[in-house]
Amino acid sequence: MGKAGAKVFVTRRRVPEAIDLLGRHFDVEVWGPNSPPPRGVLIEKASECGGLLTEADDKVDAGVIEAAASLKVVANRGVGVDNIDVPAATRRGVMVGNTPGILQESCADFTFALMLAAARGVVRADRQVQAGNWTRFDPMPYVGHDVHGKTLGIVGFGAIGEAVARRAQGFGMTVLYYSRTRKPQAEDTHGVRWVPDLKELMRAADFVSVHVPLTGETRGIVGAAELAEMKPHAFLINTSRGPTVDSKALYDALSGGSIAGAALDVTDPEPLPLDDPLMTLPNVVITPHIAPASGTTITRMGLMAARNIIAALTGGPMPSCLNPEAAAGRAR
Ligand code: NAP
């Protein structure tokens, strides 16, 4: 197939299959360093390319979008698009794609890994073994909390929240959910119960797992008041975006013992600096934003992002477009 003439900029060399696929259709430039291109580079590339394939830490703000002379599509390798100014893109006629439908199972696996790690002290125990402190059989310093049979509260019951609920069934857990929209079908299928009041869910749950997107409404959705409702033996798991949880309030709850522990795949800021107060606590497990990162899922995310670009630049329907109305604003 001949190349369509457009140029595509890929901000990291992470999924070679996606870069190869794009290369069959377009002239592709890949940012070499394994870190986000500086804003000036993004602006330059937005002004000369038809498509950008971006990562969660690439800030595609209104300034970048305004520079877009011939840009038609920004395809994020991920589901969350809080790094992209979608309204600005829509006004400018730039379509924004993401990758739903393929990462929820890997994210739900990882959410359970974090839940189990936090409750059963897996990471702390491993550190002790590695440090040479396994000198006799003595489980007592490692006595943790059961996960099976407990109550799980899910905040944001979308694709990932529902995949977490399915796993919780296997653990014999009672599952409550708080979400913008009630999901009667999921209630029937998974036996989950809708709790329309977030504080009520926080009060009832032994484990709270956050799965809302980061928006103006959800920034700090788990704050001091919500954390204050949690049981002293309860755990908070966050695999959504760092700012959905108020970090200072979480530190206070963890250090003051008003909750038992937390496991965070996402933090505010990212990366979390070594001198962040959360780093000093023994009852928090932190991973570097890797919930969907199995080899298979990373590849599928990259390929879906590439297909979003190919469709947008060749006039086909995008596998996932968040602002199809942008196409109407493209006459410029
Ligand atoms: P999703 O299918 O869109 O589900 C999000 C859910 O949150 C929806 O049920 C939505 O309600 C609900 N929600 C949105 N705003 C809300 C509000 N103000 N109050 C209460 N509920 C609200 O998304 P997903 O695939 O499950 O992913 C969720 C988020 O996880 C992503 O946006 C992303 O930020 C994060 N994520 C992180 C990683 C990672 O690497 N750690 C990987 C993938 C995703 P409706 O049903 O009404 O829309």
Side-chain angles (χ1 to χ4, degrees):
M1 188 186 296
K3 297 201 178 188
K7 199 173 156 192
V8 171
F9 182 63
V10 180
T11 65
R12 234 73 100 246
R13 191 174 293 285
R14 289 207 171 133
V15 186
E17 296 87 340
I19 294 167
D20 289 349
L21 180 61
L22 286 168
R24 282 181 232 147
H25 296 263
F26 313 110
D27 291 327
V28 178
E29 182 184 347
V30 183
W31 178 245
N34 189 20
S35 54
R39 189 164 185 275
V41 171
L42 264 192
I43 287 176
E44 181 194 325
K45 299 305 168 192
S47 73
E48 62 186 41
C49 290
L52 301 179
L53 196 158
T54 52
E55 297 281 327
D57 54 351
D58 294 318
K59 301 267 173 278
V60 185
D61 58 23
V64 173
I65 296 286
E66 287 313 312
S70 53
L71 192 68
K72 289 192 172 58
V73 59
V74 178
N76 221 32
R77 192 190 59 77
V79 156
V81 289
D82 45 282
N83 58 316
I84 299 173
D85 190 331
V86 180
T90 306
R91 285 194 298 275
R92 192 91 173 121
V94 175
M95 291 187 284
V96 177
N98 68 343
T99 64
I102 53 178
L103 52 70
Q104 65 274 13
E105 303 302 332
S106 298
C107 285
D109 286 351
F110 198 79
T111 301
F112 255 84
L114 287 180
M115 208 185 306
L116 290 160
R120 297 299 307 273
V122 176
V123 177
R124 190 166 55 86
D126 176 71
R127 285 197 192 129
Q128 292 300 317
V129 172
Q130 303 280 350
N133 294 331
W134 187 12
T135 53
R136 66 182 74 85
F137 168 64
D138 180 12
M140 301 319 287
Y142 303 104
V143 170
H145 297 255
D146 280 328
V147 172
H148 71 270
K150 295 294 179 65
T151 297
L152 170 64
I154 296 178
V155 180
F157 202 72
I160 301 173
E162 190 171 336
V164 169
R166 272 189 271 110
R167 283 156 180 75
Q169 282 185 300
F171 279 73
M173 300 180 91
T174 299
V175 182
L176 313 174
Y177 75 97
Y178 167 87
S179 204
R180 188 169 54 188
T181 314
R182 189 169 182 178
K183 311 278 165 70
Q185 200 182 331
E187 289 174 27
D188 291 346
T189 315
H190 309 305
V192 299
R193 181 161 70 81
W194 188 50
V195 178
D197 175 21
L198 179 55
K199 285 187 178 164
E200 188 187 329
L201 176 136
M202 305 296 289
R203 253 193 314 276
D206 302 303
F207 296 89
V208 173
S209 192
V210 185
H211 299 286
V212 284
L214 178 61
T215 64
E217 281 176 12
T218 62
R219 184 173 290 273
I221 192 169
V222 177
E226 289 71 26
L227 290 163
E229 299 292 334
M230 290 177 73
K231 300 173 187 176
H233 66 255
F235 289 83
L236 181 81
I237 320 298
N238 189 11
T239 60
S240 65
R241 287 289 184 264
T244 58
V245 175
D246 179 330
S247 304
K248 163 82 170 64
L250 179 61
Y251 172 81
D252 290 344
L254 287 165
S255 58
S258 71
I259 68 172
L264 312 171
D265 184 48
V266 287
T267 58
D268 182 18
E270 287 184 15
L272 196 63
L274 266 181
D275 62 356
D276 189 282
L278 283 171
M279 292 282 205
T280 64
L281 298 173
N283 53 347
V284 58
V285 172
I286 303 173
T287 52
H289 199 143
I290 56 171
S294 72
T296 305
T297 297
I298 286 267
T299 301
R300 293 180 71 196
M301 291 165 76
L303 285 171
M304 186 167 178
R307 290 188 184 111
N308 272 331
I309 290 179
I310 294 165
L313 295 184
T314 59
M318 288 169 64
S320 177
C321 179
L322 291 160
N323 59 347
E325 68 275 23
R330 252 208 257 142
R332 59 192 160 85

